[in-house]
Amino acid sequence: MHDIRAIRETPELYEKAWAAKGSSGRVAEILALDGKLRAAQTVGQTAQAERNDASKQIGQAKGRKDEAEAVRLMAVVETLKGVLAENTEAEREAGNALHDILSSLPNIPALDVPVGADEEANVEVRRWGEPWAIANPRNHADLGEATGLLDFEAAVRMSGARFSVLKGPLARLERALGQFMLDMQTVEHGYLEVSPPLLVNDAAAYGTDKLPKFAEDLFQTTDGRWLIPTAEVPLTSLVMDQIVAEEELPLRFTALTPCFRSEAGASGRDTRGMIRQHQFYKVEMVSIVAPEASEAEHERMVGCAEAILKRLELPFRTMLLCTGDMGFGARKTYDLEVWLPSQGKYREISSCSNCGDFQARRMDARAKKTGEKGTRFVHTLNGSGLAVGRTLVAIMENYQDEDGRIAIPQALHSYMPGVTHIGGKG
C-alpha cells in the first residue's frame, strides 16, 4: 500500500518509479479519485455540522414555543440527512476505488536500484568460490533416479507433476539441511525460531502483498484459507494490527516450513527435477525494524543467507535486482545464485528483500516510542535462508563424483553421523 500524501506531493516520482517496475502508475486517476474522496469528506463534514446545529436549534425553538421555526428546522435536518446519505455513498465508492488502485500497484524501488526491464539488467555485487571442475556433471534428477533415491514417477502417480519423492539417505540429507540452516539462523544469527500455521486467512495474505494480485499462484482450501507460499506470510503477520514498542526492535523471526505454490506462470520451465515444485521446504528469515534501520538490516540479512552457502562450500554470486526483475512488494532485492554444474550457470537459491513500509501499511503494523503519543509504520524485510530443495540440488550436483556418489559437506557431518557419501554406481 502507498502513502497517498506522498503521491500528492511527488506525483512525478511515483509515475517514474512505477514505470521502472513495468507498471502503469495511473497517477492522474489516483489524484482524481483522491480529490473526489476529499471533496466528499468535506461535504459530509459540513453537512454533519449543519445538521447538528439545526438539531440544536430545534430544541431552542421549541423552548420558545416557536413551532413554525421548529418545523422549518426539522425540514432542514431531513434534507441534510439525505445529503449525508448520498455523500456517504459517494465517499464509499471513491474510497474503495482508490484503495483498489493503490493495492494493485507495486512498491516503488529504492533510489540505488538499477533501472532495467528484466534479469539482463541485474548487477553482480560479489562472487564467492570457484566452480569446481567436474567431468561430465550429471543432472541432480538423473543422479537421484539412477540410485533410487529420487522417485518422480511415484510422485506423479499420487500427486501429479512438480512433486517428488525422496527416499533413504537423500530424505535424511534433506532433513539434515533444514536443521542445519535453522540452527545457524537461530544460534549464530539471533533469529527467533517460530512454528507458524501453514494456513492463513485473507488478511494475512493481503498484508504480505500476496492478495489480490497473486491469488492464482496460491493454493486455497475449501473453507477459504490459503496454504502459505512461504513462511514470510505468517512470520510477518505476527505484527499485523499491532503497535510494537520501538525499544523492542528489531524483531527477527525464522521458521522451517513446507511451502506451497501453484507455479501458475511457470509453464514449460524447470519441469523436470526439484528446481521448481508445488511443495518444498524452506527456512525463512523475517525482520521487523524501525525505518532508519532497514537498509543496514537488509545487508545483514543477505549476509546471513550467504553464510549458509559459505559453510556448505557452494560457489555462488550475489545479484542486485533491477527495477523490472524485483518482486511486487520489494523496494530492493538481492538474489543469491548458486552454481549448478549440469547447467553450467548460476541459479537463484535465495531472495532477500527490503519492503520498506509497503507491507506494514497493508497490515497496519506500527511502532511507538515509550512516552510518545505518535506511531509510525515499521519496515519489514524477508529472505530465504535458504530454500532446502534447491540447496539439496546444489549439493547433489557440486559434490558428485564420476561414480555417481554424493559427498556430504563437512558442515553436515554432525547432522548425519557416520555418513560421508550417499548414492553411487547408479
Side-chain angles (χ1 to χ4, degrees), residues 51-168:
R51 182 186 179 189
N52 292 343
D53 184 59
S55 296
K56 181 179 179 180
Q57 292 183 50
I58 289 173
Q60 295 172 345
K62 288 186 175 182
R64 300 191 305 270
K65 307 295 185 182
D66 189 346
E67 291 300 323
E69 179 64 5
V71 170
R72 186 189 73 78
L73 288 169
M74 284 189 283
V76 170
V77 168
E78 194 63 27
T79 299
L80 289 171
K81 182 179 178 181
V83 171
L84 281 169
E86 181 179 335
N87 193 74
T88 297
E89 180 60 21
E91 184 178 336
R92 185 191 66 79
E93 290 180 358
N96 287 346
L98 183 60
H99 180 274
D100 289 346
I101 292 177
L102 293 177
S103 296
S104 70
L105 291 168
N107 201 354
I108 63 173
L111 295 178
D112 59 344
V113 170
V115 176
D118 53 37
E119 62 183 14
E120 295 300 319
N122 294 343
V123 175
E124 183 175 320
V125 177
R126 53 187 166 267
R127 190 176 291 208
W128 187 92
E130 289 295 328
W132 304 336
I134 301 175
N136 302 313
R138 300 169 71 181
N139 179 279
H140 72 280
D142 292 335
L143 281 168
E145 285 187 315
T147 55
L149 300 180
L150 263 178
D151 192 339
F152 294 109
E153 291 185 4
V156 169
R157 289 197 302 272
M158 69 179 79
S159 302
R162 296 193 186 277
F163 289 94
S164 59
V165 174
L166 281 64
K167 297 179 179 179

Side-chain angles (χ1 to χ4, degrees), residues 265-297:
S267 177
R269 289 189 294 163
D270 299 307
T271 55
R272 186 167 183 268
M274 298 192 298
I275 294 290
R276 196 179 299 275
Q277 299 212 299
H278 290 310
Q279 174 187 318
F280 57 94
Y281 285 97
K282 180 159 68 77
V283 172
E284 185 72 3
M285 303 174 291
V286 162
S287 294
I288 312 296
V289 302
E292 59 273 9
S294 66
E295 289 187 20
E297 184 70 15

Side-chain angles (χ1 to χ4, degrees), residues 35-338:
K36 184 177 180 180
L37 174 61
R38 290 197 289 165
Q41 290 170 336
T42 299
V43 169
Q45 291 166 359
T46 301
Q48 186 62 55
E50 291 177 353
R51 182 186 179 189
N52 292 343
D53 184 59
S55 296
K56 181 179 179 180
Q57 292 183 50
I58 289 173
Q60 295 172 345
K62 288 186 175 182
R64 300 191 305 270
K65 307 295 185 182
D66 189 346
E67 291 300 323
E69 179 64 5
V71 170
R72 186 189 73 78
L73 288 169
M74 284 189 283
V76 170
V77 168
E78 194 63 27
T79 299
L80 289 171
K81 182 179 178 181
V83 171
L84 281 169
E86 181 179 335
N87 193 74
T88 297
E89 180 60 21
E91 184 178 336
R92 185 191 66 79
E93 290 180 358
N96 287 346
L98 183 60
H99 180 274
D100 289 346
I101 292 177
L102 293 177
S103 296
S104 70
L105 291 168
N107 201 354
I108 63 173
L111 295 178
D112 59 344
V113 170
V115 176
D118 53 37
E119 62 183 14
E120 295 300 319
N122 294 343
V123 175
E124 183 175 320
V125 177
R126 53 187 166 267
R127 190 176 291 208
W128 187 92
E130 289 295 328
W132 304 336
I134 301 175
N136 302 313
R138 300 169 71 181
N139 179 279
H140 72 280
D142 292 335
L143 281 168
E145 285 187 315
T147 55
L149 300 180
L150 263 178
D151 192 339
F152 294 109
E153 291 185 4
V156 169
R157 289 197 302 272
M158 69 179 79
S159 302
R162 296 193 186 277
F163 289 94
S164 59
V165 174
L166 281 64
K167 297 179 179 179
L170 190 61
R172 185 181 180 187
L173 178 56
E174 179 188 48
R175 175 162 51 89
L177 263 176
Q179 293 303 314
F180 160 71
M181 293 174 184
L182 196 58
D183 286 348
M184 275 198 68
Q185 303 305 359
T186 54
V187 177
E188 298 190 25
H189 300 151
Y191 287 85
L192 177 68
E193 182 178 354
V194 176
S195 179
L198 303 182
L199 295 168
V200 296
N201 59 23
D202 286 355
Y206 172 81
T208 48
D209 59 71
K210 305 301 178 280
L211 291 181
K213 185 175 178 62
F214 301 106
E216 68 172 7
D217 294 324
L218 308 179
F219 288 110
Q220 189 174 27
T221 62
T222 54
D223 67 356
R225 293 183 177 88
W226 303 89
L227 286 168
I228 62 168
T230 163
E232 168 204 342
V233 177
L235 293 182
T236 309
S237 296
L238 288 171
V239 295
M240 181 172 64
D241 296 325
Q242 301 296 302
I243 298 177
V244 300
E246 283 209 19
E247 293 78 8
E248 295 179 3
L249 300 178
L251 299 175
R252 297 185 177 116
F253 306 120
T254 189
L256 168 61
T257 68
C259 303
F260 307 91
R261 299 183 184 179
S262 71
E263 296 293 349
S267 177
R269 289 189 294 163
D270 299 307
T271 55
R272 186 167 183 268
M274 298 192 298
I275 294 290
R276 196 179 299 275
Q277 299 212 299
H278 290 310
Q279 174 187 318
F280 57 94
Y281 285 97
K282 180 159 68 77
V283 172
E284 185 72 3
M285 303 174 291
V286 162
S287 294
I288 312 296
V289 302
E292 59 273 9
S294 66
E295 289 187 20
E297 184 70 15
H298 193 197
E299 299 297 327
R300 179 190 186 278
M301 179 177 282
V302 174
C304 292
E306 291 176 335
I308 300 290
L309 292 173
K310 290 177 181 179
R311 195 70 61 84
L312 294 172
E313 301 182 78
L314 292 170
F316 70 92
R317 64 180 185 176
T318 302
M319 306 293 291
L320 174 60
L321 300 196
C322 71
T323 53
D325 200 32
M326 281 199 302
F328 181 80
R331 68 188 305 269
K332 185 176 181 179
T333 297
Y334 290 103
D335 272 6
L336 305 188
E337 298 179 347
V338 69

